[in-house]
Amino acid sequence: MSYAAAAALQAALHERLTQAPALAGVPVLDAVPGGQAPATYVLIGPEEVRDASDKSGPGAEHRLVVSVVSRAAGFAAAKGIAVAVTDVLSGPVPALARGRLAGLWFVQAEARRLDNGATRRVDLTFRARVEL
């Protein structure tokens, strides 16, 4: 097992999301912003990695969460951006600076209210298979 491609995977996903026309104007971050946060943003969040080595060589399976956080009223805006994120990450797999991304698949989504209903959050879980 190796965590060697974790930073490269995050960088590739960040690049793919920030360059997507459907997400123009939506900040893509890897930390919850301090102070006055944008009204809506995409957050590349937690990740769990497991060994996925096989006879062809070393590899890892990454389960990662990409969240849409929005203070817009209702879920429509957050869900619309979540759909765009899913569409963008369901396209051709991006190249990695280290390792090779063999596949990236949507696993699940969870939408919920936070801050006594003032904030909406949609957590999208993806599974990535990386060969090293």
Side-chain angles (χ1 to χ4, degrees):
M1 181 207 154
S2 179
Y3 195 60
L9 177 60
Q10 179 174 329
L13 296 180
H14 183 269
E15 182 177 353
R16 175 68 57 91
L17 292 168
T18 57
Q19 292 182 358
L23 296 170
V26 179
V28 179
L29 311 170
D30 71 348
V32 175
Q36 183 64 18
T40 301
Y41 58 94
V42 173
L43 181 66
I44 299 174
E47 157 184 59
E48 182 179 309
V49 181
R50 295 179 186 216
D51 182 36
S53 300
D54 57 24
K55 67 181 179 180
S56 69
E61 179 182 287
H62 297 247
R63 294 261 174 157
L64 54 109
V65 178
V66 177
S67 301
V68 176
V69 182
S70 179
R71 290 192 314 268
F75 274 104
K79 287 182 179 180
I81 294 169
V83 168
V85 167
T86 303
D87 288 346
V88 168
L89 296 183
S90 295
V93 295
L96 302 182
R98 182 171 184 178
R100 184 181 86 78
L101 183 57
L104 180 64
W105 303 275
F106 172 78
V107 175
Q108 70 179 32
E110 180 182 357
R112 63 181 181 262
R113 290 181 181 86
L114 304 173
D115 303 325
N116 294 317
T119 304
R120 310 299 189 263
R121 181 175 176 135
V122 181
D123 291 327
L124 305 164
T125 303
F126 293 88
R127 180 173 63 94
R129 169 68 164 91
V130 176
E131 297 171 345
L132 300 166

